[in-house]
Amino acid sequence: MRIVVKVGTSTLAHKTGHLNIRHMEEFCKVLSDIKNAGHEVILVSSGAIGMGMGKLHLTERPKTLPEKQAAAAVGQCELMYTYDKLFAEYNHTVAQILLTGSDVRDEHRRQNFINTVERLLAFDCLPVINENDTVATDEIVIGDNDTLSAIVSVNLHADLLILLSDIDGLYTANPRVDPDAKLVPVVTELTPEILASAGGKGSEIGTGGMQTKLTAAGMVMDAGCDMVIANGADPDVLYDIMDGKAAGTRFIGRR
Ligand code: GLU
């Protein structure tokens, strides 16, 4: 199987912006094992701005564009350094790819991106993709990594997109405020009720929320790819997902 795994800032870093070592080590170990089992893995990783915050000792997420871009420039290094080190322990080679909206909207550049990732997968590398936050401005931004991971999945004809977040999956209402909210295990169609159940932004240091995840679901389902939203706090959940066991919320792609 070809799988795209998107991991959010809330899984990789503490609220302080410093690395969540336990999550990150477990996560890289499980992904390495999935690769060892013969699957093609593409990672879409957030965390550049969050980790930049930690390194620059900022106490809140930067608000101005130059500040965000500076934080991303610092944090992206930290992120790749950490992935390189942890995946190297299991003999896997990571490759960094940074994209903006213009790279995927321009046909020539989009094709180049696809060719590069295909070649990296043929080399048995693990592509790690993020938005190029250091140069992305309003006009060319993709904006969030849920959407970016859906774009990656559709362009590379992935079989499965897994969004690891700080929430267990899609709920009937916002579980942070409504105790009666229930987890939805399977979604075969994005009905108006499902779209209405998505609240706003999720965490203090990340960008996405349930809305961007449902947009991503719509994109990949149309392309015949399944998507799972699961909690990244226990990366072992990836084994359950790969084994087809119930985990988080599974959106079934149109066949
Ligand atoms: N590209 C952003 C970062 O690395 C994250 C965007 C997102 O979390 O959706 O900080």
Side-chain angles (χ1 to χ4, degrees):
M1 278 221 294
R2 175 171 290 188
I3 65 165
V4 176
V5 180
K6 181 259 171 177
V7 64
T9 308
S10 53
T11 303
L12 301 176
H14 291 285
K15 287 201 169 65
T16 54
H18 291 297
L19 198 67
N20 187 323
I21 297 172
R22 186 168 55 101
H23 282 180
M24 194 90 174
E25 286 190 342
E26 265 301 300
F27 175 61
C28 294
K29 185 168 124 187
V30 176
L31 272 194
S32 297
D33 205 17
I34 289 174
K35 249 181 92 54
N36 285 353
H39 300 291
E40 289 179 327
V41 179
I42 299 162
L43 181 55
V44 174
S45 179
S46 303
I49 298 177
M51 284 196 193
M53 276 172 57
K55 272 221 138 168
L56 294 172
H57 309 291
L58 307 177
T59 48
E60 55 181 42
R61 196 176 162 89
K63 294 196 173 59
T64 67
L65 185 64
E67 251 176 11
K68 270 191 216 162
Q69 300 197 316
V74 171
Q76 183 66 28
C77 291
E78 168 89 346
L79 199 57
M80 286 314 294
Y81 166 74
T82 309
Y83 281 131
D84 196 20
K85 196 170 65 160
L86 294 177
F87 281 114
E89 282 181 28
Y90 302 101
N91 288 320
H92 289 298
T93 303
V94 294
Q96 170 182 264
I97 300 183
L98 298 176
L99 295 173
T100 60
S102 20
D103 297 314
V104 288
R105 282 173 214 134
D106 177 277
E107 183 47 32
H108 182 64
R109 282 154 76 172
R110 188 181 71 89
Q111 200 54 54
N112 273 342
F113 153 68
I114 294 172
N115 294 346
T116 306
V117 177
E118 290 288 359
R119 190 52 58 94
L120 284 168
L121 292 173
F123 281 142
D124 200 23
C125 293
L126 200 164
V128 182
I129 305 178
N130 196 358
E131 178 138 26
N132 195 351
D133 297 311
T134 299
V135 298
T137 52
D138 282 349
E139 305 76 54
I140 57 164
V141 80
I142 295 168
D144 70 88
N145 278 1
D146 294 327
T147 309
L148 174 62
S149 62
I151 292 173
V152 168
S153 302
V154 171
N155 276 289
L156 289 155
H157 305 291
D159 301 296
L160 177 65
L161 166 62
I162 302 173
L163 302 182
L164 292 180
S165 181
D166 57 355
I167 193 157
D168 290 342
L170 175 73
Y171 281 82
T172 49
N174 185 347
R176 290 192 173 96
V177 292
D178 185 348
D180 293 329
K182 293 203 174 43
L183 182 78
V184 182
V186 179
V187 173
T188 49
E189 199 190 336
L190 292 175
T191 60
E193 293 74 42
I194 287 179
L195 294 171
S197 64
K201 202 177 128 189
S203 73
E204 282 157 37
I205 57 173
T207 308
M210 202 42 83
Q211 270 164 15
T212 52
K213 290 179 178 51
L214 293 185
T215 306
M219 291 167 69
V220 300
M221 285 163 88
D222 280 348
C225 168
D226 282 9
M227 184 182 109
V228 175
I229 302 175
N231 200 323
D234 178 12
D236 279 0
V237 75
L238 288 167
Y239 287 124
D240 291 341
I241 297 169
M242 296 306 290
D243 292 344
K245 293 189 188 145
T249 301
R250 191 170 193 116
F251 297 79
I252 310 293
R254 249 171 240 134
R255 308 275 191 260

